Amino acid sequence: MTRIGIILGSTRPGRRGEQVARWVLDAAARRGDAEFDLIDLRAHPLPHLDEAVPPMFGPSEHAHTRAWAERIAPFDGFVIVTPEYNGGIPGVLKNALDHLFEQWNDKAVGFVSYGAGGGTRAVVQLRSVCSALGLADVGYQVAVSVVTDFENHTTFVPGEHHAAALTKTLDQLLAWSAALAPLRSATTLVTS
């Protein structure tokens, strides 16, 4: 069965992303057509990229990077839940992406963003970064406003339009994850 990791891209105290990521996980788990797992970056503290060799050129010398690679490698695709900080992606998310290379290759990625303007500028940056890592980004995305989609600015209350957008995003993500499977299999045969 297809495995999708839902990456919570913020570690900030008081973050709103945890509610959004749990909503994604709950909706995804009801589908029954894939396995979904929440990957909280708080559980994977990584120092600023500290590898002497770029990830594309060899195995890591550090246990924290090897543990992160083991966490990411089994997935066929990802949903990245990200805030927009000052018009861009959180540093902790970029750092987590930069620690690996091979583990991202030939997998699909979709985005659920949040911020005052729905977090869309963060997704623009993520599409470029993910492309460089060999991830295929799907066209659909969910954009959540922290101004209008949180009751009393604290409790996430997703609208029906968000549920519809999430369904389209997950449909496309699963289709692309399946379509890319032969490429991942070919890579596994070559490196084995």
Side-chain angles (χ1 to χ4, degrees), residues 121-132:
R121 293 181 296 181
V123 172
V124 169
Q125 288 182 353
L126 276 170
R127 288 185 190 282
S128 178
V129 170
C130 288
S131 175

Side-chain angles (χ1 to χ4, degrees), residues 49-173:
L49 190 56
D50 61 346
E51 298 293 340
V53 177
M56 68 174 27
F57 296 127
S60 171
E61 65 182 80
H62 298 295
H64 54 260
T65 304
R66 289 192 305 274
W68 178 234
E70 288 172 13
R71 180 70 171 120
I72 293 302
F75 292 100
D76 301 299
F78 304 93
V79 174
I80 297 178
V81 177
T82 184
E84 179 180 309
Y85 292 160
N86 302 314
I89 62 177
V92 68
L93 175 56
K94 177 71 165 74
N95 188 52
L97 291 167
D98 287 345
H99 265 79
L100 305 177
F101 184 76
E102 177 183 313
Q103 294 78 9
W104 303 121
N105 289 182
D106 300 323
K107 297 178 181 182
V109 63
F111 305 103
V112 176
S113 59
Y114 60 97
T120 57
R121 293 181 296 181
V123 172
V124 169
Q125 288 182 353
L126 276 170
R127 288 185 190 282
S128 178
V129 170
C130 288
S131 175
L133 293 169
L135 286 155
D137 60 299
V138 302
Y140 289 108
Q141 72 181 69
V142 181
V144 173
S145 169
V146 296
V147 177
T148 60
D149 296 319
F150 283 80
E151 192 173 89
N152 298 320
H153 298 286
T154 56
T155 305
F156 180 48
V157 182
E160 288 182 27
H161 63 289
H162 292 312
L166 180 60
T167 296
K168 288 180 179 181
T169 300
L170 293 174
D171 286 348
Q172 196 173 45
L173 178 68

Side-chain angles (χ1 to χ4, degrees), residues 4-92:
I4 303 295
I6 300 168
I7 299 174
L8 174 49
S10 172
T11 58
R12 191 177 198 169
R15 64 188 177 175
R16 294 186 177 130
E18 191 165 356
Q19 293 177 65
V20 177
R22 295 233 174 257
W23 168 73
V24 171
L25 179 62
D26 291 345
R30 287 192 297 272
R31 294 173 59 97
D33 54 357
E35 293 177 20
F36 295 90
D37 193 6
L38 183 60
I39 303 167
D40 188 340
L41 292 183
R42 279 189 181 168
H44 302 279
L46 295 166
H48 287 289
L49 190 56
D50 61 346
E51 298 293 340
V53 177
M56 68 174 27
F57 296 127
S60 171
E61 65 182 80
H62 298 295
H64 54 260
T65 304
R66 289 192 305 274
W68 178 234
E70 288 172 13
R71 180 70 171 120
I72 293 302
F75 292 100
D76 301 299
F78 304 93
V79 174
I80 297 178
V81 177
T82 184
E84 179 180 309
Y85 292 160
N86 302 314
I89 62 177
V92 68

